[in-house]
Amino acid sequence: MTNNDIFKKLRVALMLRDDQIVEILELVDFRITKSELGAFFRDEKHENYMECGDQVLRNFLNALVIHLRGTKENPKNPNDVLAKHKAQIPAKEGSKDRPEFKAKQKDEEKSRGDEAPSKTKSATKKPFKKDYPKGNSKTQVVEKVKYNFGKNKK
């Protein structure tokens, strides 16, 4: 995994915009422009693509720790910082808020491990078996295999 891949995954996971990354890097006195930053996120085949160096990634990780945790004098709660980032992301136009997933309640009778489920339609069904027409009986693969039982032919 390259430095660019790590940088991209961190950006997506933390939901950071370019201007936020620039601000975070300034926490450790590392100056970078938005255009330089954009070059890291381009496709490798693009003419303005630039490989993210170890120095940039190291400074970003150090600054990210300060951004999320704060300093000894001024500690922060990382969950609050991440929630703030999430709140700053604008909602897409025309998209409805996705309802939260709620698991369906399980049928208590089916989920009991100590008792067999009652005989219902689904429990009394026999497994499906394929029926082949009379003239098209398929031969099993096992019947086609020749065994020599370890004897070498000469």
Side-chain angles (χ1 to χ4, degrees):
M1 184 177 277
T2 64
N3 288 350
N4 286 41
D5 295 335
I6 295 169
F7 206 47
K8 287 176 188 177
K9 288 182 189 254
L10 283 170
R11 178 186 182 198
V12 171
L14 297 170
M15 297 175 277
L16 296 172
R17 297 186 317 262
D18 288 347
D19 58 335
Q20 291 173 323
I21 293 174
V22 170
E23 289 174 13
I24 290 171
L25 283 167
E26 287 177 359
L27 293 174
V28 289
D29 295 329
F30 189 82
R31 308 269 188 277
I32 192 168
T33 63
K34 286 185 186 179
S35 58
E36 288 175 318
L37 193 60
F40 300 142
F41 301 119
R42 294 183 193 277
D43 188 35
E44 291 179 12
K45 298 169 188 159
H46 194 277
E47 64 183 46
N48 293 337
Y49 171 78
M50 197 167 76
E51 188 71 31
C52 176
D54 293 339
Q55 184 182 10
V56 175
L57 187 60
R58 183 184 70 241
N59 282 307
F60 177 68
L61 292 173
N62 288 336
L64 192 60
V65 169
I66 294 170
H67 176 70
L68 292 175
R69 294 185 191 164
T71 59
K72 286 184 179 180
E73 297 83 27
N74 188 15
K76 297 179 185 176
N77 184 354
N79 291 330
D80 294 340
V81 176
L82 293 175
K84 180 181 169 189
H85 286 295
K86 192 172 186 178
Q88 289 178 350
I89 296 174
K92 293 182 181 178
E93 292 179 21
S95 66
K96 297 179 182 176
D97 289 338
R98 220 169 94 181
E100 286 190 33
F101 173 76
K102 294 183 181 178
K104 294 180 181 178
Q105 292 181 352
K106 292 183 179 180
D107 185 6
E108 290 180 23
E109 193 173 314
K110 289 182 183 178
S111 63
R112 297 268 320 240
D114 57 343
E115 296 178 5
S118 64
K119 300 290 181 189
T120 60
K121 286 185 179 180
S122 62
T124 58
K125 271 189 180 177
K126 293 184 179 179
F128 178 74
K129 187 176 180 181
K130 288 186 178 178
D131 293 326
Y132 294 103
K134 291 181 182 177
N136 188 18
S137 62
K138 287 196 168 191
T139 56
Q140 298 260 339
V141 175
V142 177
E143 295 172 6
K144 295 179 184 177
V145 177
K146 278 189 170 182
Y147 296 99
N148 62 5
F149 299 104
K151 297 177 183 175
N152 294 332
K153 293 183 181 179
K154 289 188 179 181

